Amino acid sequence: MTPGGTATLGMGRRRPLQSLADVVAELKKSNQHHAAMGEPLGLEEEPPPVDEKQQHYGAALLYNFERRIETLDKQLRDFENASRELGSSVGIMWSAFRLQERLAKILFLFRENAACLYPRKIMRKPQEVLLNPNIMDRRQDWRYRSTVPLPQDNLELDMLPNQLESLAGDVGAFISCLSEFEEFNDEAISQSMRSFEGDLRYFSVCLYEYKNQCRSSAVQRYVHDLMHEIGGHLDEINSALTIFIEIGIPTIWFHQQHAAKNLLNVSTLSIVFGVVDASLLVLSSHTTGNILANSVNMFWMSSLLFSIAGGVNGLLGLTWKQSIYRSPLHRVPWWLLVYMKGSPLVFLVIAIACFSAGVVLFTYSSKQNPITSAVIVVATLIASSGLISISGWFVLERWTFLTQKDQKWLGVVITETLDRLAELGIVRAHRFTMRWCSRRLAATRACLARFLTWVAATRISMAKTKKGTMTTANLEIEMGGALRPSISSEAPGSSDCHKKRPDTHLLLDVTDPRVRFQNAVRAVIKLQRTTGKRPKPVRPGFHRQNSWWQTPTPAAPDTSASPLPDPGIWAFRGARVAKVIEELKELELTQELLPHGALVRHVQFSPNGRYLATSSWDRTAMIFRVGETLTQHRTLVHVRGFVSQVAWSPNGRLLLTRFTRGLKLWSEDGVCKQTIDRSKTVSSVVWLPSGQAILSVEGSEVVKLDLHGKVLDVYHFGHVRLINVAVTSDCSRLIAIGPSVPPAGGPQPTRQTKVEKRIIVYNMHTKQKESQTPLFDDVRDIVISKHMSVVLVTFEQAPPQLWKLEIVRDKTRMIGQCPLTARLNLKHSFALNVPTSIAGSCYFGGNDEQFVFCVGKAGDVHVWDRETAALLRYLRPMNMSELRDMTCIGWNNGMDEPMMFATGSHDGTVRVWSTAMVRQAEEEGSDTEVESDD
């Protein structure tokens, strides 16, 4: 090789090295510049474009979630310590420990996710500090060997769906262990945990569909917003555990101690009774040789045997009940449970029966006095009858509980049985005979009473004749009150009876339990009336908040600040921007119309800017001609249903109106060209950019129709209930938006949980979903720009967002398939000047769609720059009558001179804002100045 060739080769090697050095130098300079601007250094991918306020709210949400988990972890530790006193508590302690472990892993994954979104506010933590050392120290086996270290799982963000599903399983196991304590059952605790378990399974199923997109910023924001829902459930579980610790555990402990005390008493009595049997056997064991003596020894030995067995079984049952490792009652074989719980008492009863029989026989075998023997037999029969009665009642109560499923008491069952027996023939005959006898006895008693009355009257008359000074009262006293029944029966309305009846009635009222209950209820009602208004019951739960990263709510709006933020000022340095801002400042209310008699649902200007179409719930649509002022051009009457939407064709020559189950096609002169009826409810209608077909959004399907109503194609979106769709300019893709409806057989969210919403990019040629992005807040509409691949999403209670549609290469595609696919990336959110509830949809404005605008229900209008999200103009409501009146807004994109937009309201008013009046006044002022100069 020649020297010249060597030099040439050296120069060829030095050039790439020199270019690499230049790149490194430029990168270093760029990093220094970013550091000076307060931006993070490094070669990693830049975080999503969010401002400092959203960074602060994001970190605050994570720290609040972390405090909730720490509070629940402390509550679980207290629960474990309190449950150690209970029998069969090893299951609930182990499930609580597993729940603590899972919560620590979930917190670690959520912190990793938040650190990817907001690296300036949230620091990553090493995985070694994932688990609590105190929990690890407690993880020892039953032989108290050295601590077994927990395996360190390699946790990644892709594992979050699996971890949420595992957390749902741990929560379910914890609920099952709680329900195994039959002594305490609180439905509120079970319901709160069951709802948490169901929501966790729902979140897991939703995130499984984005398992390979967990590193995308959109999925990370959705995961970050899930902390609202999960954190609220954690608060409910924390409250439920507090109730269980304060009320449930003492109740369970009391029941277990009561059962243990009963077993202890039975065991003690059995042992004492065995000692008595042994003492008597010492006396009777020497007496043998006849049947009575042998029978006495047999019964007393049997009594001794059953006494010892009852005492030992009672002590074993007592030890088993107090053990924390014992199985729950419903997991023990029934025969073993019956033997363990019932054998001490049964053996004691048998021992007493044998002892009693032995005592009776002993009185005869020992040749006691007959009187003594008779007394012992009678006393034994009396004691045995009581024992038999109590034992029989106890057995019947147990039988009633098992057969009636805790629906009836034993007394009710006995009454019903007696009533059924009373319906038998022989019993009815007996009752008839007894009733006939009782009537005859009553008649006889009445005759006897009349006879006695006659005798008493005769004796009184005779006494008056003999002794005129003797009074009837003295006679009654002497006769021992024999006249009182006759007097009360003959004169029921006398004063004496009338005075006695209220006392008797009052006595019945006091002793009747129903009357006592009614009096207590009346007393409570009177007490509530005197103490004032009753407090409303507060449902345990949490207040649902909106997504903080979409709706940052400041404590108070800064009215002194400029409507143009500092980042927007840095971005807009050109003369064009300054001109636009000055033009927007000239926007004023120029005209008010009242064309409709009901709510104005939608307004839209034609693409050429010459017409304005409005739709209303008064079943009409209006076409106005745009000039210096709006003039009514045509009225479009609809016989069926409310007119919910108007849509101009791309060339502005046709107008489409939508009602509940159909569409109408009109010319710009108000002539109905076509009526298209649909079998399903039409939620939205969109023109294709070519203007030769329309898209009808019907549930989970998008139907492509020609201008005559013929179905050209149908696009299916699965279990997503579509709200609206947008079409790209090349008619190749649909961008759809709507809530995801969970399948009937899958996990369902609770009523308090927000259903997942999605933005779906759908390829119209392959009829496949290319990508889907989850959303947390409730969505309302979606619009795509005609000039750029950007999508505007409108939310119910959150500011709008701008998403960029990108075409990327999909490495997962098979050979022969198109390698290109589309996906959406969040570009920025448009911050509201004040917290506002948006009315209708947000749209692009301006001839080049350089603006984004919306109107609030209170009448305030926001206008942002599309590229930088800088607030260019904020219009406050003109008067208080406009508050909560606006329903929709539309910008005239067909002309920029003058700028113009229109709004609709609830009362049917259409208001027009424009810059024409201001400019006309300026031109008139300039003409006046010229004339004065002349």
Side-chain angles (χ1 to χ4, degrees):
M1 184 176 293
T2 62
T6 306
T8 304
L9 183 61
M11 290 294 295
R13 291 179 176 176
R14 283 196 296 270
R15 285 175 183 172
L17 294 176
Q18 184 66 29
S19 62
L20 181 60
D22 294 339
V23 170
V24 173
E26 291 179 1
L27 184 59
K28 183 176 181 181
K29 186 184 296 183
S30 177
N31 286 341
Q32 293 176 356
H33 173 71
H34 287 307
M37 297 296 293
E39 298 180 0
L41 301 177
L43 300 177
E44 299 180 356
E45 184 180 355
E46 293 184 359
V50 292
D51 57 8
E52 190 67 23
K53 184 181 293 185
Q54 291 173 345
Q55 292 263 351
H56 173 73
Y57 280 120
L61 178 60
L62 176 68
Y63 296 147
N64 187 24
F65 182 73
E66 189 174 10
R67 285 193 296 270
R68 287 174 170 177
I69 287 188
E70 290 176 355
T71 303
L72 182 59
D73 182 79
K74 179 180 179 298
Q75 201 73 17
L76 287 172
R77 289 199 300 269
D78 295 341
F79 178 80
E80 292 174 10
N81 295 329
S83 61
R84 290 179 184 274
E85 301 177 359
L86 305 179
S88 185
S89 60
V90 64
I92 194 65
M93 292 170 59
W94 179 253
S95 62
F97 167 69
R98 296 288 297 178
L99 192 57
Q100 286 177 283
E101 276 188 337
R102 193 68 60 187
L103 287 174
K105 294 179 181 180
I106 292 294
L107 178 59
F108 177 80
L109 290 177
F110 273 107
R111 173 175 278 276
E112 285 292 309
N113 181 78
C116 294
L117 283 173
Y118 315 105
R120 294 199 299 268
K121 295 292 184 179
I122 300 173
M123 301 295 296
R124 284 185 170 88
K125 288 186 178 181
Q127 193 168 345
E128 287 74 12
V129 299
L130 170 63
L131 299 176
N132 191 342
N134 296 330
I135 298 177
M136 293 176 62
D137 291 340
R138 285 191 239 120
R139 192 167 172 177
Q140 300 176 355
D141 63 358
W142 64 279
R143 295 180 181 178
Y144 298 97
R145 292 181 297 192
S146 60
T147 303
V148 180
L150 292 175
Q152 291 288 340
D153 299 331
N154 187 17
L155 294 177
E156 299 292 341
L157 289 179
D158 297 339
M159 301 175 61
L160 183 59
N162 297 329
Q163 291 296 327
L164 288 177
E165 186 176 5
S166 300
L167 178 60
D170 293 337
V171 172
F174 187 77
I175 299 172
S176 300
C177 292
L178 280 181
S179 61
E180 288 176 350
F181 291 99
E182 300 177 353
E183 296 85 356
F184 182 80
N185 186 12
D186 192 348
E187 190 64 26
I189 297 176
S190 301
Q191 184 64 30
S192 61
M193 292 191 175
R194 290 294 182 189
S195 62
F196 183 39
E197 180 188 4
D199 286 344
L200 286 174
R201 297 191 185 279
Y202 173 72
F203 297 149
S204 174
V205 170
C206 293
L207 290 178
Y208 264 123
E209 300 190 21
Y210 312 102
K211 193 170 184 180
N212 297 326
Q213 307 176 28
C214 290
R215 294 292 179 178
S216 65
S217 59
V219 178
Q220 287 177 347
R221 285 187 175 88
Y222 177 74
V223 170
H224 196 75
D225 279 340
L226 287 182
M227 288 191 292
H228 278 296
E229 305 291 335
I230 297 178
H233 282 293
L234 294 179
D235 289 340
E236 290 185 354
I237 293 178
N238 190 17
S239 302
L241 283 179
T242 302
I243 295 175
F244 196 87
I245 292 174
E246 294 179 355
I247 301 177
I249 289 182
T251 303
I252 297 172
W253 182 85
F254 173 79
H255 280 277
Q256 291 184 353
Q257 291 298 316
H258 179 71
K261 187 180 294 184
N262 290 338
L263 282 177
L264 182 61
N265 294 334
V266 171
S267 301
T268 304
L269 185 59
S270 298
I271 293 174
V272 171
F273 207 78
V275 172
V276 173
D277 287 335
S279 302
L280 293 176
L281 277 174
V282 173
L283 299 176
S284 64
S285 60
H286 302 289
T287 305
T288 59
N290 53 28
I291 297 176
L292 291 177
N294 294 335
S295 299
V296 169
N297 293 331
M298 180 189 66
F299 279 113
W300 281 355
M301 288 182 181
S302 300
S303 177
L304 176 62
L305 179 62
F306 281 110
S307 299
I308 295 175
V312 172
N313 288 349
L315 293 178
L316 289 176
L318 176 62
T319 305
W320 179 77
K321 276 185 170 295
Q322 294 179 344
S323 175
I324 65 173
Y325 299 101
R326 72 172 174 88
S327 301
L329 297 181
H330 64 279
R331 298 185 183 275
V332 180
W334 66 269
W335 56 270
L336 183 60
L337 189 62
V338 169
Y339 189 83
M340 192 178 302
K341 294 176 62 176
S343 63
L345 183 60
V346 173
F347 288 171
L348 179 60
V349 172
I350 295 175
I352 293 175
C354 293
F355 176 79
S356 301
V359 168
V360 171
L361 294 177
F362 181 76
T363 57
Y364 290 99
S365 65
S366 60
K367 298 179 181 180
Q368 298 292 330
N369 191 352
I371 298 176
T372 303
S373 300
V375 171
I376 295 298
V377 170
V378 172
T380 303
L381 290 176
I382 294 173
S384 300
S385 62
L387 180 63
I388 294 172
S389 301
I390 295 174
S391 301
W393 184 266
F394 179 79
V395 172
L396 289 176
E397 282 185 336
R398 185 67 178 176
W399 174 81
T400 303
F401 176 79
L402 294 176
T403 56
Q404 300 296 329
K405 304 299 181 182
D406 199 18
Q407 298 295 324
K408 296 180 181 179
W409 296 104
L410 177 58
V412 177
V413 174
I414 294 175
T415 303
E416 293 178 352
T417 304
L418 293 177
D419 292 339
R420 287 195 296 269
L421 292 175
E423 298 298 328
L424 297 178
I426 185 173
V427 178
R428 292 176 62 183
H430 176 71
R431 290 176 61 186
F432 176 78
T433 303
M434 295 299 295
R435 195 180 300 114
W436 182 84
C437 294
S438 63
R439 285 199 297 267
R440 293 296 177 267
L441 289 175
T444 304
R445 187 174 58 182
C447 294
L448 183 61
R450 287 196 296 270
F451 175 74
L452 293 176
T453 303
W454 177 78
V455 171
T458 304
R459 294 184 63 182
I460 290 174
S461 60
M462 293 175 63
K464 285 183 178 180
T465 55
K466 293 181 180 180
K467 298 180 181 179
T469 58
M470 183 177 294
T471 62
T472 305
N474 294 333
L475 182 60
E476 292 178 358
I477 294 175
E478 290 178 357
M479 296 177 66
L483 293 178
R484 291 176 187 174
S486 62
I487 293 174
S488 61
S489 60
E490 290 180 358
S494 62
S495 61
D496 294 338
C497 295
H498 184 70
K499 290 180 182 180
K500 289 181 66 177
R501 284 180 183 177
D503 297 338
T504 307
H505 181 67
L506 182 60
L507 183 61
L508 290 175
D509 286 348
V510 173
T511 56
D512 192 358
R514 293 183 179 179
V515 176
R516 290 202 305 269
F517 176 76
Q518 293 175 359
N519 294 336
V521 172
R522 293 193 187 98
V524 171
I525 294 175
K526 291 181 180 179
L527 180 62
Q528 290 177 350
R529 290 178 178 176
T530 55
T531 54
K533 191 175 181 180
R534 291 182 297 174
K536 296 182 178 180
V538 180
R539 174 187 172 273
F542 59 96
H543 177 66
R544 302 289 179 187
Q545 301 177 358
N546 293 328
S547 174
W548 62 265
W549 64 272
Q550 291 180 341
T551 55
T553 305
D558 189 3
T559 57
S560 62
S562 173
L564 186 62
D566 291 342
I569 295 177
W570 296 341
F572 291 109
R573 293 293 186 183
R576 183 187 65 84
V577 176
K579 181 181 178 182
V580 169
I581 295 175
E582 293 299 327
E583 291 177 351
L584 289 173
K585 288 182 179 180
E586 297 175 358
L587 283 171
E588 290 185 356
L589 179 64
T590 58
Q591 190 176 3
E592 285 193 17
L593 301 172
L594 189 59
H596 296 287
L599 179 145
V600 179
R601 189 65 182 86
H602 193 214
V603 296
Q604 189 181 55
F605 286 90
S606 61
N608 54 21
R610 293 164 47 188
Y611 297 100
L612 170 67
T614 63
S615 65
S616 173
W617 284 1
D618 62 357
R619 299 187 178 184
T620 63
M622 294 283 186
I623 300 179
F624 298 89
R625 189 182 299 275
V626 178
E628 292 183 358
T629 59
L630 292 185
T631 58
Q632 185 173 340
H633 180 58
R634 292 289 186 272
T635 300
L636 314 179
V637 179
H638 296 70
V639 180
R640 296 177 298 171
F642 299 145
V643 187
S644 302
Q645 183 184 357
V646 290
W648 288 98
S649 63
N651 57 12
R653 297 179 181 177
L654 297 175
L655 178 66
L656 197 64
T657 59
R658 172 178 64 88
F659 48 94
T660 305
R661 289 184 178 237
L663 312 170
K664 280 184 176 293
L665 196 63
W666 308 79
S667 67
E668 59 183 4
D669 294 329
V671 178
C672 182
K673 298 287 187 179
Q674 187 71 38
T675 299
I676 304 173
D677 294 326
R678 302 298 301 160
S679 59
K680 296 182 180 179
T681 301
V682 181
S683 59
S684 181
V685 62
V686 179
W687 282 91
L688 287 181
S690 61
Q692 300 300 319
I694 55 179
L695 298 177
S696 175
V697 181
E698 303 173 2
S700 299
E701 298 177 349
V702 177
V703 183
K704 184 178 180 181
L705 305 170
D706 63 4
L707 300 185
H708 300 285
K710 181 181 177 181
V711 177
L712 301 178
D713 208 343
V714 180
Y715 308 104
H716 302 277
F717 285 81
H719 58 275
V720 178
R721 187 175 66 251
L722 300 178
I723 296 177
N724 201 357
V725 297
V727 190
T728 57
S729 58
D730 57 356
C731 297
S732 62
R733 291 177 175 86
L734 291 175
I735 296 93
I737 194 169
S740 175
V741 180
Q748 303 291 325
T750 57
R751 294 182 178 180
Q752 296 82 10
T753 302
K754 290 185 177 181
V755 179
E756 178 206 8
K757 276 68 66 176
R758 295 182 182 180
I759 308 178
I760 301 174
V761 180
Y762 186 89
N763 193 309
M764 299 176 67
H765 300 308
T766 62
K767 293 187 177 181
Q768 292 181 352
K769 300 177 184 177
E770 293 188 338
S771 67
Q772 49 186 356
T773 304
L775 295 174
F776 184 75
D777 284 310
D778 295 331
V779 294
R780 178 175 292 170
D781 199 2
I782 187 169
V783 180
I784 190 170
S785 175
K786 300 177 182 178
H787 306 290
M788 295 184 63
S789 297
V790 290
V791 176
L792 182 64
V793 179
T794 306
F795 295 90
E796 293 282 351
Q797 299 292 334
Q801 293 179 350
L802 190 70
W803 296 73
K804 186 176 181 180
L805 182 65
E806 297 178 346
I807 306 299
V808 297
R809 184 177 298 274
D810 190 0
K811 298 180 181 180
T812 62
R813 295 292 179 91
M814 303 295 293
I815 299 176
Q817 296 180 349
C818 180
L820 300 180
T821 185
R823 67 181 183 185
L824 288 171
N825 287 325
L826 179 63
K827 194 171 183 180
H828 44 242
S829 298
F830 299 93
L832 296 170
N833 193 31
V834 293
T836 302
S837 180
I838 298 177
S841 303
C842 302
Y843 299 100
F844 294 106
N847 197 12
D848 297 329
E849 296 184 341
Q850 68 271 28
F851 306 133
V852 172
F853 63 95
C854 72
V855 63
K857 293 181 179 180
D860 49 338
V861 180
H862 290 76
V863 182
W864 298 277
D865 179 70
R866 184 190 65 192
E867 295 300 323
T868 60
L871 182 62
L872 303 178
R873 187 76 165 96
Y874 173 65
L875 297 174
R876 293 178 175 84
M878 301 297 296
N879 50 58
M880 296 301 294
S881 63
E882 297 179 6
L883 293 178
R884 304 189 181 278
D885 190 34
M886 298 300 177
T887 58
C888 55
I889 189 171
W891 192 285
N892 191 350
N893 295 340
M895 59 176 68
D896 277 346
E897 296 292 338
M899 291 184 178
M900 180 184 297
F901 68 87
T903 61
S905 59
H906 279 272
D907 58 358
T909 304
V910 176
R911 298 178 176 88
V912 181
W913 275 261
S914 175
T915 59
M917 290 298 208
V918 178
R919 293 179 184 177
Q920 183 179 358
E922 291 178 354
E923 291 176 359
E924 292 177 356
S926 61
D927 294 339
T928 305
E929 290 178 359
V930 170
E931 292 177 358
S932 62
D933 292 341
D934 293 340

